Amino acid sequence: FGSEFMLTKAVVSTQSTGSRFGERCESLFDRRWNYVKTELDVENVRKFDLLLLEPKEAERYKITHSVVDKFHAYAGLKFSKDPPFVMTKKREAIYLMKSKTVKKKLMVKNS
C-alpha cells in the first residue's frame, strides 16, 4: 500500500478480533498502518484504505470500497441422517473492504 494506510472497524469486528487489532503484532503490515477508532459516515469513509465491517453496514460503502474477502462466524449446528451427522453452520460475519482508490493488490490469509 505504499508507505502507510488507514484502517477502521465496525463493532462486531472489534468484538471478534479485540479492540486493539494488530497492536500487539510487531510485524503486521510492517507497522505502516494507522488504526483509527472513529465512527464511520459517508463524509469520512473516503479517508480509509481498509474497512472491517458487518455485511449490513458494508452495503452502505460499496460506492467507495470493494469487498476483498468475507470472514465467517459460527451460526449453530446442522444435523443429518448421514455422516457426518453433526456439522457447524457458518454465516458471513465480517467483510474486509478496500478503497477503490487503492490500486495495490491485497493478499488475505483467511482460514
Side-chain angles (χ1 to χ4, degrees):
F1 282 110
S3 62
E4 65 177 48
F5 64 93
M6 300 281 286
L7 166 74
T8 192
K9 304 187 321 169
V11 174
V12 168
S13 59
T14 301
Q15 291 171 343
S16 301
T17 59
S19 64
R20 310 197 109 215
F21 173 78
E23 290 179 14
R24 292 185 213 140
C25 181
E26 294 297 321
S27 63
L28 184 64
F29 304 118
D30 296 328
R31 305 297 290 166
R32 293 180 290 180
W33 56 278
N34 292 311
Y35 167 46
V36 180
K37 297 177 184 181
T38 186
E39 293 295 320
L40 276 184
D41 60 36
V42 177
E43 299 298 318
N44 71 5
V45 72
R46 294 182 193 285
K47 72 180 178 183
F48 294 101
D49 300 313
L50 298 174
L51 306 174
L52 286 173
L53 301 172
E54 301 156 55
K56 281 187 204 174
E57 193 172 2
E59 288 298 318
R60 296 176 57 199
Y61 303 110
K62 285 190 174 178
I63 293 170
T64 57
H65 291 71
S66 300
V67 175
V68 176
D69 208 347
K70 299 174 182 179
F71 299 89
H72 296 84
Y74 174 80
L77 294 175
K78 181 169 45 173
F79 300 96
S80 172
K81 293 179 182 179
D82 302 312
F85 300 106
V86 181
M87 296 167 282
T88 57
K89 291 189 227 175
K90 295 181 181 180
R91 64 177 175 78
E92 292 178 350
I94 299 171
Y95 285 7
L96 172 61
M97 300 179 78
K98 179 177 79 168
S99 171
K100 291 182 179 180
T101 62
V102 174
K103 301 300 180 200
K104 189 166 183 174
K105 187 173 181 177
L106 180 63
M107 301 300 293
V108 179
K109 190 182 255 187
N110 186 354
S111 53

